C-alpha cells in the first residue's frame, strides 16, 4: 500500500506570496496516478491537478503541479484570498495524504 | 450540469446498520468508477471503497472490509454503500465521487456528503 506524506502540515503565508506544498510517496509511483485537491471549510473537495501536472477544467494557471517518482509538488504562484484552504494529494484514485493547510499569516 | 446527491446518513448505535445512497445526474454514471470517501470531524479525507463501471470489481479500505458493501445500479444512475456493524470510528461525512479510471484516475465530481454518526 502506498502511503502519502504531505508537508508542511500548515503553511502560513500572505496573499501574493508563493506556496509550495510537498507530497512524498512511500515508494515510487506512476506520475499519471497523482492528483491534488483543494478543500474549503464546509465544502466538498475540488479537483485541481491530475496526472501530477495537468490542471483540471476551470483551474487558474497560478496552480501548477510537478514531480515524479516519490516526490511531488503543488505550487500556487501568487496566493489569492480564495486559495486559503486545505490541500490533499491522492494516489491512483484511492489513498490520500494527510493534507496541508494554507492559512493567512 | 453534473450533480451527485448523497442521502441516507444519520445517527446509529454501535453495531447498527445504515445504507447510504448517491444519485447521479447530468452525466453517464455507467462510464465511471464510483467511490465513497469519508471525512471524520476535523480530520482529513479517507477513501473508503470503489466499484468498477460494470460492477465487476469492488475494492475497500482495510478498516471496512467485511462490514461495508458498495453496489451500483447504472440503470437508475445510483450508487449505494451498505454499512453493517458500525463503529464509533466510522463517524464521518460520507462523499460519493466519480473517477474516469484508466491512465489518469481522478475524482472529478463530488457530492456534498451525508453525515453518519455512530454513538449510543
Amino acid at each position: 500500500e502506498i502511503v502519502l506524506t504531505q508537508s508542511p502540515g500548515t503553511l502560513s503565508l500572505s496573499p501574493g506570496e508563493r506556496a509550495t506544498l510537498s507530497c512524498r510517496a512511500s515508494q515510487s509511483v506512476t506520475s499519471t496516478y497523482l492528483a491534488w485537491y483543494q478543500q474549503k471549510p464546509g465544502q466538498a473537495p475540488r479537483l485541481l491537478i491530475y496526472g501530477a501536472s495537468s490542471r483540471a477544467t476551470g483551474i487558474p494557471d497560478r496552480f501548477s503541479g510537478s514531480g515524479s517518482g516519490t516526490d511531488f509538488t503543488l505550487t500556487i504562484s501568487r496566493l489569492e484570498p480564495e486559495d486559503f484552504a486545505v490541500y490533499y494529494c491522492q494516489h491512483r484514485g484511492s489513498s490520500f495524504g494527510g493534507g496541508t493547510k494554507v492559512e493567512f499569516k | 450540469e453534473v450533480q451527485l446527491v448523497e442521502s441516507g446518513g444519520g445517527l446509529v448505535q454501535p453495531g447498527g446498520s445504515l445504507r447510504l445512497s448517491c444519485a447521479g445526474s447530468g452525466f453517464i454514471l455507467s462510464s465511471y468508477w464510483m467511490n465513497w470517501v469519508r471525512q471524520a470531524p476535523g480530520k482529513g479525507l479517507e477513501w473508503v471503497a470503489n466499484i468498477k463501471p460494470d460492477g465487476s470489481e469492488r475494492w475497500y479500505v482495510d478498516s471496512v472490509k467485511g462490514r461495508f458493501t458498495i453496489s451500483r445500479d447504472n440503470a437508475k444512475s445510483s450508487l449505494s454503500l451498505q454499512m453493517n456493524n458500525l463503529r464509533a470510528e466510522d463517524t464521518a461525512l460520507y462523499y460519493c465521487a466519480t473517477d474516469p479510471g484508466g491512465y489518469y484516475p481522478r475524482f472529478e465530481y463530488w457530492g456534498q456528503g451525508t453525515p453518519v454518526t455512530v454513538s449510543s
Side-chain angles (χ1 to χ4, degrees):
Chain A
E1 179 192 346
I2 303 290
V3 176
L4 300 177
T5 302
Q6 291 188 241
S7 61
T10 302
L11 202 50
S12 299
L13 296 167
S14 301
E17 290 192 296
R18 182 184 188 90
T20 303
L21 288 65
S22 172
C23 176
R24 178 161 290 178
S26 57
Q27 60 192 82
S28 184
V29 303
T30 303
S31 60
T32 64
Y33 292 164
L34 201 287
W36 289 92
Y37 301 83
Q38 175 194 67
Q39 188 179 33
K40 298 179 182 179
Q43 295 186 16
R46 177 174 71 145
L47 175 67
L48 295 176
I49 301 287
Y50 64 95
S53 60
S54 297
R55 273 187 300 277
T57 303
I59 301 303
D61 60 8
R62 64 181 180 272
F63 290 92
S64 64
S66 63
S68 64
T70 60
D71 293 307
F72 297 87
T73 301
L74 174 69
T75 302
I76 311 171
S77 59
R78 293 173 311 279
L79 281 165
E80 296 287 342
E82 62 268 28
D83 299 336
F84 290 87
V86 180
Y87 293 84
Y88 297 93
C89 59
Q90 183 197 32
H91 174 252
R92 203 177 183 180
S94 59
S95 55
F96 290 92
T100 291
K101 181 179 181 180
V102 178
E103 65 174 20
F104 282 102
K105 187 174 183 180
Chain B
E1 180 193 4
V2 171
Q3 273 200 316
L4 291 167
V5 180
E6 301 94 338
S7 61
L11 174 64
V12 62
Q13 292 188 339
S17 297
L18 215 52
R19 186 177 182 88
L20 306 184
S21 296
C22 171
S25 61
F27 69 104
I28 302 173
L29 187 133
S30 59
S31 297
Y32 290 85
W33 284 77
M34 293 300 296
N35 296 265
W36 288 100
V37 176
R38 66 185 179 184
Q39 188 167 35
K43 302 298 183 181
L45 301 174
E46 181 182 37
W47 171 81
V48 174
N50 66 13
I51 184 168
K52 198 174 180 180
D54 64 2
S56 62
E57 290 181 32
R58 309 170 196 215
W59 298 89
Y60 301 90
V61 68
D62 285 348
S63 60
V64 308
K65 283 179 183 175
R67 301 188 299 122
F68 289 13
T69 301
I70 189 172
S71 60
R72 65 192 296 160
D73 185 336
N74 288 337
K76 295 183 178 179
S77 196
S78 68
L79 174 72
S80 296
L81 185 68
Q82 177 66 42
M83 304 187 296
N84 298 329
N85 191 19
L86 282 160
R87 305 167 180 166
E89 54 265 35
D90 296 319
T91 294
L93 185 64
Y94 284 73
Y95 297 100
C96 62
T98 67
D99 179 1
Y103 209 48
Y104 293 93
R106 59 203 184 267
F107 290 7
E108 291 179 308
Y109 304 114
W110 297 69
Q112 285 305 304
T114 187
V116 172
T117 302
V118 184
S119 175
S120 54

